[in-house]
Amino acid sequence: MTRIKRKWMLFWMKRAGLGHLGRLSTMLATWFAPAYKDRMLLANCHPNGFVDPSAVIRIEKEKLHLGKHVYIGDRCVFYQAGPAGHKSGSITLGDRVHLYRDVIMEIGNGGSLFIGSETHIQPRCQLTAYLGNLHIGSRVEIAPNCAFYPYNHGFSTDEPIRDQALFTKGGIGVGDGAWLGFGVIVLDGVTIGNGAVVGAGSTVTKNIPDNAIAVGAPARVVGMRNASSTPS
Ligand SMILES: CC(C)(COP(=O)(O)OP(=O)(O)OC[C@H]1O[C@@H](n2cnc3c(N)ncnc32)[C@H](O)[C@@H]1OP(=O)(O)O)[C@@H](O)C(=O)NCCC(=O)NCCS
């Protein structure tokens, strides 16, 4: 990349932000930028971080807290259901969090989302905290197509499910340094321990201890990480 292109990017990234002018500046910065994950260089070049021009930000300003050097990829969505001033919680991303293409984050009925620093969330994950909190620690690796639901619909036979209030058993926690494989589903009331590994396609319905390896639907612990967990 030529020096002039680098200067162009830095000039506009210094002015990047979530307001109209900030988003326009980001768009101008991308003119000479490479595609997809290579746009991370824009997030790294200035503390403002990078929010792709195609990302949808439909959340009140004071309810979205972005750390330094965050990377928000194309077509990601931050969505707050209901009118402005509604009793929704907030969305907080720590420093250097990466959200790749089509990650969706929703709040609405009092729940909040928190993502710790340096956590990476791969494409098409759904993080929905209408009610109940979703707290993901630092340096967590989340593979594509994972889903987190820290609440449920009421489902008594008295009335249609869609008319029943949501309820939560306590939300979801994912500890620091955990790794969730492709397509993991995490249900309400569950804590995944620090450094735990959850196999591809698993559904987590119960707590998983620190450093455990759990697989299947429902996920069961099949081992513990140790110094020889990874074949050399
Ligand atoms: C969880 C995982 C890391 C375990 O790897 P491992 O320690 O080498 O495990 P093994 O292959 O020795 O399997 C141990 C047992 O668990 C079972 N198992 C492993 N992964 C499983 C999964 N995802 N779902 C169901 N069962 C699984 C195996 O069949 C085996 O069962 P057995 O003892 O009855 O034969 C790996 O299987 C996995 O799912 N990786 C995620 C890959 C991925 O999604 N990558 C995305 C890129 S970020």
Side-chain angles (χ1 to χ4, degrees), residues 143 179 181-182 197-200 202 213 215-216 222:
W179 172 36
F182 184 97
V197 173
V198 184
S202 301
I213 301 168
V215 299
V222 292

Side-chain angles (χ1 to χ4, degrees), residues 112-135:
S112 286
L113 278 167
F114 177 91
I115 315 290
S117 59
E118 295 182 41
T119 282
H120 297 167
I121 302 183
Q122 297 293 335
R124 298 178 306 279
C125 289
Q126 304 264 343
L127 296 87
T128 310
Y130 277 98
L131 187 67
N133 296 330
L134 169 52
H135 188 288

Side-chain angles (χ1 to χ4, degrees), residues 109 152-167:
N109 226 350
N152 279 291
H153 280 277
F155 49 90
S156 78
T157 50
D158 301 340
E159 53 183 336
I161 288 173
R162 62 173 294 171
D163 295 339
Q164 297 187 39
L166 303 178
F167 68 97

Side-chain angles (χ1 to χ4, degrees), residues 25-65:
S25 301
T26 312
M27 196 184 74
L28 291 167
T30 62
W31 274 9
F32 299 118
Y36 194 38
K37 293 184 181 178
D38 290 346
R39 290 191 170 181
M40 219 112 65
L41 70 94
L42 294 174
N44 295 336
C45 79
H46 196 275
N48 282 343
F50 174 74
V51 179
D52 193 276
S54 63
V56 174
I57 314 287
R58 204 283 204 186
I59 172 171
E60 287 167 279
K61 215 165 98 190
E62 61 277 13
K63 290 180 178 165
L64 180 61
H65 311 286

Side-chain angles (χ1 to χ4, degrees), residues 2 19 23-24 72 85 94 102 113-114 127 156 166 170 181 191 208:
T2 60
R23 298 211 71 193
L24 181 65
I72 313 297
D102 290 322
L113 278 167
F114 177 91
L127 296 87
S156 78
L166 303 178
T191 299
I208 296 176

Side-chain angles (χ1 to χ4, degrees), residues 189-204:
V190 154
T191 299
I192 296 175
N194 294 328
V197 173
V198 184
S202 301
T203 300
V204 185

Side-chain angles (χ1 to χ4, degrees), residues 54-88:
S54 63
V56 174
I57 314 287
R58 204 283 204 186
I59 172 171
E60 287 167 279
K61 215 165 98 190
E62 61 277 13
K63 290 180 178 165
L64 180 61
H65 311 286
L66 299 183
K68 295 191 180 93
H69 297 289
V70 293
Y71 169 82
I72 313 297
D74 35 336
R75 302 194 309 260
C76 286
V77 176
F78 292 96
Y79 179 73
Q80 172 192 345
H86 189 61
K87 55 178 178 173
S88 57

